[in-house]
Amino acid sequence: MANDPDVVVIGAGFAGLYTIHRLRERGLSVHGLEAAEGVGGTWYWNRYPGARCDSESYYYCYAFSSELEQEWDWSERYPGQAEILSYLEHVADRFDLRRDISFSTTVVSAAHDGDRWVIDTEDGGRWTCRWLVTAVGCLSSANVPDIPGLESFAGEWHHTGQWPHEGVDVAGRRVGVVGTGSTGIQAIPVLAESAGHLTVFQRTANFSIPARNAALAPEEAAGYKADYAAIRELQQASTNGHPFVVSDVDTLALPDDERRALLERAWERGGLRFRAAVRDVLTDPAVNEETSDFLRVKIHETVDDAVTAEALTPRDHPFATKRPPIDTGYFETYNRANVSLVDVRADPIAAITPDGVRLTSGAEHPLDVLVFATGFDALSGPLLRLGIRGTGGQSLADAWAEGATTYLGLGVAGFPDLFTITGPGSPSVLTNMPTSIEQHVDWIADLLGHLRDHDLEAEPTPEAQARWAEHVREAADATLLPQAASSWYLGANVPGKPRVFLPYAGGFARYREMCDAEAAAGYPGFALRARHERASA
Ligand code: NA7
């Protein structure tokens, strides 16, 4: 039947593309709905200057096809946005995925009618399916601050996650950037190179580690290709889905000079491996404080002006309790004559005027271009805007009024036959995303196979969901992560959003084992009902 596949998958980024491929292999009919004009998800939208992945290219990619691993050549240690987008376009073509995707198709509602999902799209289309899989990403709902007067701004403004395809001409112009998360830290050095003047509006000073990005030498790339079996094994056994192990050295037991040398070596190596080099950095306050201090000194050594250096030095949260950015020349950028820093925690933005930004003190900052690097309504935001309604017409927004809860991050009680790839309560943003995505999609594919073979529908039980929510909270509380009051992990960046720690902090390998155990035990956390029972009820 037209517009009635077995499965509708929303989104055509890393998650949606693999879902289509994997479910087809399972013999299911599947169709993708994608708001963008092309594939790519995050890498379709985030085209801001400097957009780059913080995972290394040789493992920020799919593992499901060894042919794909061997044929694709990455050019840099950290892949840039355009290169990742080309990779995903290649995957879409190579596995002939586009024929089952409707592009420029935005979902406005998805309701379970007791037997099937009915999905309506903005262009008036309607799709029905037995199983609905969301592949909408964790960071796809842009958070544009509600600042009075924005509509009056005479210049141009953009959120980094909705960057114009044709680019933005900043040459010689007065540019303002609001936000110093991973995105701002990537964009600021690149914008500073061509802007006439760049003003950074910083609310929270951030730690950042040098990425040490470089071209990937052919012999290094060949080495990874030869070693993929071992690399993938390491990823599967890891805490964060990265192919490196967390150090087992007890840093506090080391003499001062050796401890210092360990941190210096990690700093020189750079990237997210820095965190893995320091055991217990996220669980032991003393280890964290030592590491945070090391990084604070680095900022003061890098930034010439002492007042600016201190303003850039984070003192309100332990290192890595907010997502730790990695950078190329971020702190150095503040030594340029055309860059200035404004502390908007001390003097908050009061309004946007036709000319620029006005602070609470009355200070004016005239601008031609205003860039919001202000992040996303993370994890739950992309799901809530789909207008999902489950049993009895209950909306997902109502179900999550006190905060997003799921079972394993994969499904929600009251929403039968809905599966959420990298949903709230899964390791997701604390891991290398393609690794978590493949694990989720494979698990969902197995469950759908089981449901099809036995003509069942599935929905998490409220009890299993409550237990999982408690476990997610405990896993976060066992770390220092909840100490960052302004973290988007907690929903703190979006006014009015319930404060619930959203990702699962218990580690990827442990999580994968729990998912496998759930499947091996016959899915005890799910109510599995014969479909005819509901139909005749
Ligand atoms: P983030 O990490 O949420 O960073 C957003 C930044 O914007 C952060 O510095 C915020 O300060 C700041 N912000 C947000 N709203 C405001 C307002 N109203 N006024 C001033 N400053 C504001 O988003 P990113 O895009 O950088 O990174 C998201 C993830 O994408 C990243 O971690 C990677 O996983 C990829 P705050 O810290 O909230 O005080």
Side-chain angles (χ1 to χ4, degrees), residues 139 145 178-183 203-204 322-323 373-376 488:
L139 300 164
V178 182
T180 52
S182 297
T183 299
R203 187 164 69 182
T204 306
K322 297 183 80 164
R323 165 67 156 71
T374 44
F376 302 90
W488 55 261

